[in-house]
Every structure is written in C-alpha cells, then in structure tokens.
Amino acid sequence: MKVGVARETAAGERRVALVPEVLGKLTAAGLEVLVETGAGAGSAIPDSAFGEAGARVVPIAQLYTDSDVILRVQKPSASEVNLLRSGQAVIGFLTPLIDPQLAATLAARGVTAISLDALPRTLSRAQTMDALSSQANVGGYKAVLIAANAYGRYFPLLTTAAGTARPANVLILGIGVAGLQAIGTARRLGAVVKAYDVRSETKEQAESLGATFIVLTSVADASGEGGYARQLTPEEQAAQQAELNGHIATMDVVITTAQVPGRRPPVLVTAAAVAGMKPGSVIVDMAASTLGGNVELSKVGETVVTDNGVTIIAPDNLPATMPAGASAFYARNISALLLQFVKDGAMTYDFDEEITAATVISHGGQVVQAATRKLLEPAPAAGGAAS
Ligand code: NAD
C-alpha cells in the first residue's frame, strides 16, 4: 500500500503531514511512502531528508495517481480535490462540521475522507492521534511568545543596578489544552499568572502549573459533554463579561483560548473591558477565526491598537508559525491514526469501532458520519407544520 504526503497549499501553511523521523514506523508496517516534491520546504525539511529516510519524492501528478492514501494537514484545495480518485483515502484536518460541502464532494468522487478533527479525544487509546491537542499545545506556547514580544516591558521580576522591573500580570482565559500550555509558558517566562475557565475542574489543573484560578460568583460551572464547555445562556454570558471586566483591568497581558465545539467562540473581553485596560497592555485572541473570537475588538489575522493604547493581536494559524515543531507532533498523530486503519497491508474500515465511526466522514460514495450528514440535510421548508 502506498501512502502519499501532499505539499500544503493553503495560504500561510508551512506544516507538513509527515516528517522523516516517523517514516520508519510506516515502512515497518509494510507501507511505501511517497512525498510530493517540496512538501517539507516550509518546515525546513529538504526532499533529500525524506529520501534518506526511505521515501520516494515524486511530482504532484504521480503522488495522486499512485497513492492509496493521501496524508495532509489542511483540507485539499479545489484543484487538489480534482486530483483525488475513487477508492483513494485522504486524511487531514478536513473540518467537516465547518465545510460539510467538501465531504459531500469527496463522497461523490468515491474518496474516503478521514478527519483528524473528528477524533473522539477522551478515548485513551486515541491520545497518540490527537492532533487537535498537539497543535493547540503549539498554539498556547506561541501565543505567549507573541504577547511577550509585543509587551514593552519584562515578563519576569528583575532586580538590577538600574532598578527593579515588576513582573507582568498575565491572565489566561480558557484552560483547555492551549490554555494550560499558555499558563506553563508564561510562568516559565516569570510572569504572575491568573487563569479562568467556566469548567470548575480546570481549577486544580491551573493551580498545579502555578496560576491563581479566578472564581466568578456570577456564573456556575458550565461543563458540557466530552470534557468540553457548554454554551452559556445570554444572561450568563453578560454576567460573566461584567465580572471579568474588573479582573481584566488589572492585567498587563490577556491571552484568550475559549472555544465551544461547533459554536461561535464566546466573547469574554468586551470593548468596555479593553477601554478599562492600561496603555501598553497586550491581548492575544487565540480563539479568533472568521466565526469571531473571544475579544470583541479583535480582527483575525490582524493587530489592532486601540485609542487607549491596548494592542490586540488575533493570529491566524499559530501552529504554522512553528512549522517544524508542529509538524513533528502532527506526523506522530496522523501516522498513529493511519496505522489504526491498516490491516494486512490495506485500509480496512470497521464501522463498529469507535475511532473509525467518528473519523471516517465519507466512504463508498456516501457521507457516512452522522454529524456531517445532518448538516447536509435540506433545511425544512419554511412555514412547514411544527411538531
Ligand atoms: P476547547 O478548545 O474546546 O476550549 C478551550 C477552553 O475554553 C475549554 O477549557 C473550555 O472549557 C473553555 N471555555 C469555553 N467557553 C468558555 C467561557 N464562556 N468562559 C471561559 N472558558 C470557556 O478545549 P480543548 O483544549 O480542546 O479541550 C477540551 C477538553 O477536552 C478539555 O477538558 C481537555 O482536557 C479535554 N481533552 C481530553 C483529552 C483526553 O482525555 N485524552 C484529550 C484532549 C482534550
């Protein structure tokens, strides 16, 4: 069976789905690895390094013709979709809940689409495959470095002959995978760190990394399913924002990471909160995307400086800004998921098995994953009888 590694073509994407270090695992399982010319360039991995690790470097046309499975980071572009053929599988962050139409197109072409972002993350045997976590980890780390770089003062307490610099006060909002890494990184840089999450179980995790957990009296625990948060009601959200404002005003740096699966990220830092911050303060909105962000004034992919001198940074695709490190983790995740499907040298699909049922989005000409299929159902006709 031949596994092809695509060169990423999305704007700003510098990661690559496989790195030479993991090739041994795949070849040991009897797989032949093809790598598209230049696939590792963005991560400073020359074609020769893939060749030395046992892969064959091939032009794009041959990659798509010869491979049984294509590995990638981001979803294929329209022209790459046209290169995929019936019976082939593609594995990557295919975001079927955001782009169900892609799943339908792949199904129509007879392509088996397997999406890493659909992995059931709470299964312990899926942990090595959890690319959402590995990439969120990179993001949390990079967000702190970006904040430190934009902040015009020291993060640590410094006592020097020229005077004493007080440590930066850093607030992390959202204590999932990215938030925990952000706490750890900010602490290692010497900042005084506070953190808040709507899931009360995160208190102990934040404290174990040296942060002070902020308890809000206006919002009860909002743990949802699968370890995620549930969406707050509009009343809860307003109360949360109002109570957070007082904390935010005392901070030098705020890093936001809060997400609710399948929903617009909650606004945690309002324009009023930003207006209350000191000039020179920095906010990094890690949750920002085209869906919105955690910071009312953030603009995805841009840096905004407010009239009161607060810098609001909303980076797009942080993992791609640390491509070699992010790719090394991603490569382990995607190869673990791939090997889960390989039996006797071929891709096999057992839909009674949880990881297969969750991650295989299209197969045999159909969109098979229930959540994606639901999104593709025609909306009920307006004015239809209510039941
Ligand atoms: P995420 O990206 O969905 O969200 C980040 C954080 O934002 C979460 O901690 C969430 O509680 C928080 N949040 C959402 N709404 C909020 C609000 N209004 N105010 C404040 N905070 C809010 O989360 P994630 O990093 O993907 O992790 C989600 C969960 O999955 C965590 O419990 C994590 O431990 C768990 N997880 C478990 C495993 C495993 O069991 N192997 C692996 C990975 C993640």
Side-chain angles (χ1 to χ4, degrees):
M1 185 179 123
K2 293 190 179 72
V3 177
V5 181
R7 187 175 68 83
E8 297 299 315
T9 50
E13 185 52 77
R14 294 170 58 199
R15 289 170 291 175
V16 58
L18 271 197
V19 299
E21 291 73 35
V22 303
L23 250 65
K25 268 202 176 135
L26 302 187
T27 48
L31 307 182
E32 195 181 325
V33 180
L34 310 180
V35 176
E36 186 180 333
T37 311
S43 296
I45 305 170
D47 288 346
S48 58
F50 281 110
E52 283 154 21
R56 207 147 46 88
V57 178
V58 297
I60 182 166
Q62 192 183 345
L63 185 93
Y64 283 86
T65 312
D66 289 1
S67 303
D68 299 294
V69 182
I70 298 282
L71 304 184
R72 47 185 316 125
V73 179
Q74 295 215 24
K75 60 188 181 184
S77 66
S79 62
E80 287 159 339
V81 166
N82 287 334
L83 293 172
L84 290 163
R85 57 174 168 75
S86 182
Q88 209 166 33
V90 58
I91 313 183
F93 279 137
L94 304 179
T95 63
L97 299 184
I98 297 170
D99 186 2
Q101 208 48 55
L102 171 69
T105 308
L106 292 172
R109 294 186 72 83
V111 175
T112 298
I114 303 173
S115 197
L116 270 161
D117 46 341
L119 192 79
R121 301 169 71 196
T122 45
L123 273 187
S124 60
R125 69 192 166 87
Q127 275 179 26
T128 51
M129 310 169 195
D130 188 352
L132 281 180
S133 284
S134 74
Q135 304 306 292
N137 213 310
V138 175
Y141 169 75
K142 260 328 260 289
V144 174
L145 300 189
I146 286 170
N149 198 35
Y151 183 53
R153 296 172 185 272
Y154 282 105
F155 261 36
L157 168 73
L158 270 195
T159 307
T160 78
T164 299
R166 66 162 181 82
N169 287 307
V170 174
L171 175 62
I172 312 291
L173 296 176
I175 317 176
V177 178
L180 288 170
Q181 181 54 253
I183 292 172
T185 305
R187 288 284 299 141
R188 285 194 288 274
L189 284 178
V192 175
V193 182
K194 289 188 177 172
Y196 165 72
D197 196 293
V198 81
R199 292 182 297 120
S200 48
E201 73 208 54
T202 58
K203 178 176 189 290
E204 209 180 304
Q205 297 164 6
E207 287 173 350
S208 72
L209 290 169
T212 305
F213 186 81
I214 293 179
V215 179
L216 296 190
T217 53
S218 60
V219 195
D221 177 78
S223 298
E225 283 173 16
Y228 292 106
R230 67 166 169 82
Q231 192 177 32
L232 300 184
T233 63
E235 295 73 30
E236 283 175 319
Q237 188 162 355
Q240 183 189 51
Q241 287 167 351
E243 201 175 347
L244 275 176
N245 284 2
H247 294 280
I248 291 167
T250 65
M251 292 292 143
D252 301 305
V253 171
V254 178
I255 294 172
T256 66
T257 77
Q259 302 271 7
V260 178
R263 309 270 178 183
R264 206 176 172 280
V267 174
L268 301 178
V269 181
T270 59
V274 175
M277 293 180 84
K278 297 183 287 285
S281 307
V282 175
I283 303 174
V284 177
D285 185 359
M286 262 193 75
S289 75
T290 46
L291 295 176
N294 292 150
V295 181
E296 192 177 349
L297 301 177
S298 70
K299 291 202 173 90
V300 66
E302 292 183 30
T303 296
V304 175
V305 181
T306 62
D307 289 345
N308 63 324
V310 177
T311 302
I312 305 173
I313 306 170
D316 194 14
N317 196 357
L318 278 175
T321 67
M322 203 175 92
S327 299
F329 283 160
Y330 187 87
R332 284 185 204 115
N333 300 141
I334 199 168
S335 31
L337 180 62
L338 169 69
L339 289 174
Q340 152 90 17
F341 289 99
V342 178
K343 304 265 154 31
D344 300 323
M347 293 293 277
T348 51
Y349 303 96
D350 169 9
F351 285 93
D352 290 332
E353 188 278 316
E354 281 166 295
I355 294 174
T356 305
T359 59
V360 178
I361 312 300
S362 69
H363 185 64
Q366 305 288 327
V367 172
V368 290
Q369 195 228 38
T372 308
R373 226 178 30 217
K374 196 152 176 246
L375 292 176
L376 289 162
E377 280 167 9
S387 57

